[in-house]
Amino acid sequence: MTSWLLLAEAGAQEGGLFDLDATLPLMALQVVLLTFILNALFFRPVGKAVEDREGYINTSRAEAKSKLAQAERLEADLKAQLKDARQEAQTLVVNAEQEMDRLYRAALAEATAAANASREAARREIDAERSKAVAELDQQASLLSDQIVSRLLPTP
Amino acid sequence: MVPMPFAMPLLPLAELEVGQHFYWNLGNLKIHGQVFLSSWVVIGALLAVVVIGTRRLQREPAGVQNLLEFLWDYIRSLAREQIGEKAYRDWLPFIGTLFLFIFVSNWGGALIPWKLIHLPSGELGAPTADINTTIALALLVSLAYFYAGLSRKGFRYFEYYVEPTPIMLPFKIVEDFTKPLSLSFRLFGNILADELVVAVLAFLVPLIVPLPAMFLGLFTSAIQALIFATLAAYYIGEAVHEEHH
């Protein structure tokens, strides 16, 4: 098991673990080239795609947010209008009810007054008729009684 | 070097070869062929995924684009957290490349059955298990943070060495050397040790027993990639950080 450890420090004939040669600069060159190639093929286009998407998402989000705010504002506006309309309707209904009540009362009062008046007039007429009838009756009674008397008691 | 002394010819998959390289000669320069071969596989896989995933980028991601966006987002948050809001955009590709290259290298080294491919000498494995790769990456990080600091602050960058007090000067200078050293050796040591542990266990008990070590290796590999990228970003962030007087 010691052979490769020995080799690592001795570098025996040729090679060894720490054999530095032209591999080093060429590998460095290769990696630099790879950096440029990957930059052109990978980092730039993918970065652009990702950042475009991020931008798109951000603007869409902002747009959606402003739309949402607008919708909320509209909703609040409409709600306020609805509330106003409801209140107006309420007052209208109340007013109408009061008006109706008033009219009803007025009509009722008028009708009652008219009925009272006509009843009074009727009663008065009845009274007059009755008194007239009584007077006539009285008159006829006295006439009849006179006739009876004249019939029973021959005139001297 | 010879395989392990008690390597049995019955188990060619479990042979251990450490410190052997598959040399290519480039003029009079020597390079480690196996490192480049496996790194090309890694880079190829990376580019394949990237090309497939970015062919049709859509606003609503589908398929591989999801994976790429997740990676991008992960790397962005890493870079932004360490470097800061102002400068992270310039360094995101570098940090991301470090992370992806190291991560795919480490996992590729652990998951791809390299041993099935025989090289005349040396063996294929994670590119990050070779000290040349890790030192190359670490030196790139050093260059990157010097460049980041100098380009952002000019010579005021060197104020960093005497802040908060001039007593810090020697320590900060030593840091410039220890940073690449620790970066490179941490990565190299972890990945090599992981490969060795798995290889030794597979060599001793070829069944089941190496599995926990392999899972641990995958975990370590991912952590090492994250550590390397995070530290690189942190060093760059430190260099571009503006002191508020």
Side-chain angles (χ1 to χ4, degrees), chain B residues 21-34:
Chain B
H21 302 293
F22 176 43
Y23 284 104
W24 288 348
N25 288 310
L26 218 72
N28 53 359
L29 296 174
K30 277 184 175 172
I31 59 174
H32 296 172
Q34 87 277 14

Side-chain angles (χ1 to χ4, degrees), chain A residues 53, chain B residues 58-63 65-66 69:
Chain A
R53 180 178 322 119
Chain B
Q58 288 158 327
R59 194 194 279 151
E60 287 162 36
Q65 193 189 342
N66 277 313
E69 286 192 7

Side-chain angles (χ1 to χ4, degrees), chain B residues 61-113:
Chain B
V64 188
Q65 193 189 342
N66 277 313
L67 173 72
L68 289 185
E69 286 192 7
F70 166 74
L71 283 175
W72 187 86
D73 203 50
Y74 183 74
I75 293 163
R76 175 178 68 165
S77 63
L78 193 157
R80 184 152 61 180
E81 218 164 274
Q82 301 298 336
I83 301 180
E85 196 63 52
K86 269 187 250 165
Y88 83 92
R89 269 163 197 288
D90 302 337
W91 294 101
L92 191 141
F94 180 60
I95 302 298
T97 307
L98 283 179
F99 177 74
L100 291 176
F101 179 69
I102 296 173
F103 181 76
V104 179
S105 291
N106 294 351
W107 272 42
L111 293 177
I112 300 173

Side-chain angles (χ1 to χ4, degrees), chain A residues 49 69 77 112 119:
Chain A
D77 213 24
T112 315
R119 198 171 61 194

